[in-house]
Amino acid sequence: MSEVLDTTLNIETPEGVELLLPVAGLAPRALAWLIDAMIKMGIIFVAANILAVLRTVGEGLLLLTMFGVLWAYNVLFEALMQGATPGKRIVGIHVMNADGTPVGWRGATIRNLLRPVDVFPGCYLFGCLALLFTKDFQRFGDLAAGTVVVHRQEVPAKNPWDNVNPQPTLVPLTRDEQEAIVSFGERRGQISDARAEELSTLLTPVLGELDAKQLRGHAAWLTGHRPKA
């Protein structure tokens, strides 16, 4: 179900790298919300039983605890734990800025302060409608904060030069040109095929006509990799 509702957010970084981020739809976000709600209820339940022995003082402390849990829980986790509350982390999603940068205190605070708007008139009706009718599945809090919720992508721990045939460059290169080629090779897995071919044409005046595969081969050579004997 979630795969049907999810989409992809394309972001181009200042370095020219295109990031393809799978945006989380209604189903995974609802599941994450349910898990977080259960955790919050558990914290309040435990606090209520502990503070009950303090009678009147305990009631005041319980109200403060409830306020902190209901209002600060999401902000603290999203700002301090890479955009993920415990529920989001279990489901495998997290909050980030719409430009691909990590969410900070400002974004986490704004998106959660506007949560009552998404809840109105009940059962998160406005928030669910916003998710279904916005391109990147943003509720009103996300639209105001400039944030999106995406699936967490695990970066495989492997050599970026596996299955790459190193190819020596036949012309001298400046330091900046070498760094640009190596950066391309290291980030090739994050770039779409079309964008990779487009970037490779930028070096045509320097290296002549070549495709993305050849450019990656030059990158491998510049980093010291050599063909296996």
Side-chain angles (χ1 to χ4, degrees):
M1 178 78 175
S2 62
E3 288 77 11
V4 175
L5 292 179
D6 291 347
T7 185
T8 301
L9 175 65
N10 297 343
I11 299 175
E12 184 173 335
T13 67
E15 295 81 10
V17 177
E18 185 179 30
L19 303 178
L20 305 179
L21 304 175
V23 182
L26 179 59
R29 293 181 67 165
L31 178 58
W33 176 87
L34 179 61
I35 295 173
D36 284 324
M38 294 176 64
I39 294 175
K40 293 176 185 178
M41 291 175 60
I43 294 174
I44 293 174
F45 177 79
V46 172
N49 282 275
I50 293 176
L51 296 174
V53 298
L54 300 179
R55 300 181 181 277
T56 303
V57 175
E59 292 178 2
L61 293 176
L62 179 59
L63 291 175
L64 291 175
T65 301
M66 292 176 62
F67 177 83
V69 170
L70 296 177
W71 286 97
Y73 176 96
N74 289 72
V75 174
L76 290 175
F77 275 110
E78 290 175 3
L80 298 176
M81 301 300 292
Q82 300 178 331
T85 60
K88 289 185 177 70
R89 190 169 298 278
I90 291 172
V91 175
I93 60 178
H94 67 116
V95 182
M96 67 188 311
N97 292 324
D99 61 1
T101 58
V103 68
W105 284 102
R106 179 181 179 277
T109 301
I110 292 176
R111 72 184 305 273
N112 285 290
L113 283 178
L114 290 180
R115 192 173 292 275
V117 177
D118 293 298
V119 174
F120 188 83
C123 298
Y124 272 87
L125 179 59
F126 277 12
C128 291
L129 290 175
L131 285 176
L132 295 176
F133 288 99
T134 53
K135 180 174 68 72
D136 296 321
F137 297 143
Q138 294 170 291
R139 59 178 179 82
F140 289 106
D142 290 315
L143 292 171
T147 56
V148 292
V149 179
V150 301
H151 289 279
R152 186 175 296 278
Q153 295 178 294
E154 299 296 334
V155 179
K158 65 178 183 179
N159 190 330
W161 310 113
D162 285 345
N163 302 319
V164 178
N165 181 29
Q167 299 182 31
T169 57
L170 302 179
V171 296
L173 300 173
T174 67
R175 182 181 182 85
D176 288 343
E177 290 169 344
Q178 293 181 38
E179 290 178 350
I181 294 172
V182 171
S183 177
F184 171 87
E186 292 174 339
R187 302 185 183 185
R188 176 61 185 90
Q190 304 172 12
I191 309 172
S192 66
D193 291 341
R195 181 57 175 164
E197 294 298 339
E198 180 184 349
L199 290 174
S200 65
T201 61
L202 298 178
L203 287 168
T204 297
V206 179
L207 298 172
E209 291 190 10
L210 77 169
D211 56 23
K213 183 177 180 180
Q214 292 172 314
L215 184 57
R216 197 178 184 197
H218 291 322
W221 180 272
L222 291 172
T223 59
H225 288 75
R226 298 292 181 265
K228 294 181 179 180

